Amino acid sequence: MSTVPLYPVHVRGALEPRLSRWLWLVKWLLAIPHVIVLAFLWIAFFVVTVIAWFAILITGRYPRALFDFNVGVLRWTWRVAFYSYGALGTDRYPPFGLAPAADYPASFDVEYPARLSRGLALVKWWLLALPHYLVIALFVGGGTWGWRSGPWAFAWGAGLIGLLVLFAAVVLLFADRYPRSIFDFVLGMNRWVLRVAAYAALLTDAYPPFRLDMGGDEPHTAAAERPAAPAALPALEPTIGEPPAPPVSSAAVATSGWTGGRIVLVVLGSIAALVGAVMLLGGIAAIVVDQTQRDADGFLMSPTTTFSTAGYAVVSETVDVSVDGPDWVADHVVGTIKITSDAARPVFVGITREDDAESYLGSVRRAVVTDLGPGPEYDERTGRAPATRPAVQTFWAASSTGAGERALTWNLESGHWVVVLMNADGSRGVDADMAIGAELDWLLWAAIGVTIAGAIVLALGALGIATGYRRASRAVD
């Protein structure tokens, strides 16, 4: 009885019978050239996947040259992982290239689908693949942000693949052998990860199976025993017209169309497209902010935030201002600073140097703002009531006193500055809504310039990708 591959993503790896005891200790260094190249290729992989997503939504097809490119990136990645710390299955240095290497012990291939579901393209890469993401997170590990004795810190956790490969490496070092059972398990986990990667990258509509197909070779099953596709998945897009042609292995079509020059063209185009898109979106966002967040006096204001304390004062963290060069730099780049307040009872808002504020409030019960957000966070300082009302002091660079809506303006000066909020009579229990802003007259023109430049860079990136794609397509055809 003839047999067919169980799943259209094929991951294979052949364990070399004799591996160097010590070479794995330096493979991280030997793999650096590949890692650098792959870093750029994965940028292109992301951009190409986005382009393919739109193509699938419009045509129901994955452009063949783009398909071969992304399969090639995954193939290259698997070869490097198999050589290095994804498996340590060979000492043969991986070749540079997207095309299949018949004589290399690690191979990766995806059957080219004649048609893909438009409906699945909308949900499979995030919603349908979510259960698999939870599983493969255990295999590959990952990083998390956490609170560690004060500051937020990044922590990295190794996955099962890394731990088992480390165990195998230690055995190899001392016993001169790679445990076959560990290799089979590692290959099974890598196969699962790469199947999910191909599915999330829209390369196939076949849902990855929830199982470990262990061993270096792909599992096979009789054609009559091939499991039917889940009924719910094709329902997102009914079949219309003739049934699609059977899938074709990507290795069956020449991938030599992706020469080094064309790969570089697509990579550079992808980087330019990403940079251009960020510039374009950032410029548009700046224009929207400039046109919607200015007050009646033309100041670009922050959102209003409520500051309150049971003590006698709310004090900002120190702001270091350094105005180098002529005065027009501060006058025209930032312009005048404006602070607004809105309180039911008379409050005092003042700007002063850090030393003067410390002399006046050093022994006063106060709240120092440590985090500005929707709900400000404070460092509460103990103390007594102030000796005098704040307005009596003469060291304020700018100040405002009163109830209701009030505003003060201040021209930037070099120094270490703080903003102080108190009740006008110096009593405890301070509460006021405040916002800060600046003139920033140049922002609109700068945003327009960034938007135009971003559109140009994006267009050049798209041209580079399109040129590389057309040349690769003609070479394959």
Side-chain angles (χ1 to χ4, degrees):
M1 180 181 294
S2 62
T3 60
V4 294
L6 184 62
Y7 190 72
V9 178
H10 310 302
V11 183
R12 301 178 180 89
L15 178 64
E16 286 190 353
R18 298 294 297 176
L19 293 170
S20 170
R21 289 189 175 195
W22 61 267
L23 186 60
W24 64 270
L25 294 170
V26 296
K27 282 185 176 180
W28 65 270
L29 178 63
L30 300 177
I32 287 178
H34 281 282
V35 172
I36 293 174
V37 175
L38 284 171
F40 290 102
L41 285 175
W42 272 94
I43 294 174
F45 182 94
F46 170 77
V47 174
V48 167
T49 302
V50 173
I51 296 172
W53 182 77
F54 283 103
I56 293 168
L57 289 181
I58 296 171
T59 68
R61 296 178 182 274
Y62 203 123
R64 184 56 199 253
L66 298 185
F67 180 90
D68 290 340
F69 180 88
N70 274 0
V71 171
V73 174
L74 288 172
R75 179 182 294 123
W76 193 335
T77 302
W78 169 232
R79 288 195 296 240
V80 175
F82 188 78
Y83 168 78
S84 58
Y85 305 104
L88 289 178
T90 182
D91 288 341
R92 293 180 55 189
Y93 199 68
F96 286 82
L98 303 180
D103 60 341
Y104 197 74
S107 65
F108 175 87
D109 192 30
V110 182
E111 297 172 4
Y112 179 71
R115 292 193 65 81
L116 290 167
S117 168
R118 295 181 177 90
L120 285 177
L122 294 171
V123 296
K124 67 182 181 181
W125 52 275
W126 63 279
L127 179 60
L128 299 182
L130 182 59
H132 281 284
Y133 293 154
L134 299 178
V135 174
I136 66 176
L138 300 176
F139 295 164
V140 300
T144 57
W145 287 98
W147 185 263
R148 291 188 172 184
S149 302
W152 284 91
F154 184 75
W156 180 266
L160 283 175
I161 293 176
L163 289 175
L164 289 178
V165 170
L166 176 60
F167 294 157
V170 173
V171 173
L172 179 65
L173 181 63
F174 291 100
D176 195 23
R177 65 181 182 85
Y178 193 126
R180 185 72 199 198
S181 58
I182 293 182
F183 175 80
D184 290 343
F185 191 30
V186 166
L187 259 291
M189 289 188 289
N190 276 299
R191 182 172 288 116
W192 193 324
V193 171
L194 287 167
R195 284 172 176 175
V196 175
Y199 181 76
L202 314 178
L203 297 171
T204 180
D205 279 347
Y207 197 70
F210 278 91
R211 66 170 183 270
L212 274 175
D213 288 330
M214 296 190 294
D217 293 328
E218 283 281 335
H220 290 69
T221 185
E225 299 172 359
R226 179 192 288 257
L233 298 185
L236 290 173
E237 182 182 45
T239 303
I240 299 175
E242 297 182 359
V248 180
S249 170
S250 63
V253 178
T255 55
S256 58
W258 285 109
T259 61
R262 291 161 191 162
I263 294 173
V264 170
L265 194 59
V266 170
V267 169
L268 294 179
S270 299
I271 295 173
L274 280 179
V275 172
V278 171
M279 293 174 62
L280 180 63
L281 295 175
I284 293 174
I287 292 173
V288 172
V289 169
D290 183 88
Q291 296 300 296
T292 60
Q293 299 301 310
R294 291 190 181 274
D295 64 9
D297 298 324
F299 285 85
L300 187 64
M301 302 299 296
S302 69
T304 300
T305 303
T306 299
F307 295 91
S308 62
T309 180
Y312 296 93
V314 177
V315 183
S316 73
E317 288 190 303
T318 303
V319 178
D320 297 328
V321 178
S322 178
V323 181
D324 298 324
D327 294 338
W328 65 265
V329 174
D331 294 340
H332 294 283
V333 173
V334 178
T336 303
I337 301 297
K338 180 179 182 179
I339 298 177
T340 63
S341 63
D342 188 358
R345 59 188 296 189
V347 296
F348 172 88
V349 180
I351 299 176
T352 186
R353 294 185 184 274
E354 180 185 25
D355 294 342
D356 292 328
E358 183 63 26
S359 298
Y360 176 52
L361 298 173
S363 60
V364 173
R365 181 182 176 184
R366 64 199 184 278
V368 179
V369 180
T370 58
D371 183 29
L372 283 173
E377 297 180 4
Y378 306 96
D379 178 14
E380 298 285 348
R381 310 283 177 86
T382 60
R384 53 180 174 77
T388 61
R389 292 181 292 109
V392 174
Q393 306 300 318
T394 60
F395 49 70
W396 303 105
S399 64
S400 171
T401 304
E405 296 183 2
R406 306 282 300 178
L408 67 84
T409 57
W410 174 61
N411 293 323
L412 282 178
E413 296 180 46
S414 295
H416 307 295
W417 301 91
V418 295
V419 179
V420 177
L421 169 66
M422 301 177 66
N423 288 327
D425 58 4
S427 61
R428 62 186 300 176
V430 183
D431 185 273
D433 296 332
M434 301 183 67
I436 187 170
E439 290 178 309
L440 300 177
D441 295 332
W442 52 269
L443 180 61
L444 178 61
W445 296 109
I448 293 173
V450 170
T451 302
I452 295 173
I456 294 173
V457 174
L458 179 59
L460 291 175
L463 178 62
I465 295 172
T467 302
Y469 166 73
R470 285 196 302 267
R471 293 178 179 176
S473 297
R474 286 198 296 265
V476 170
D477 294 340

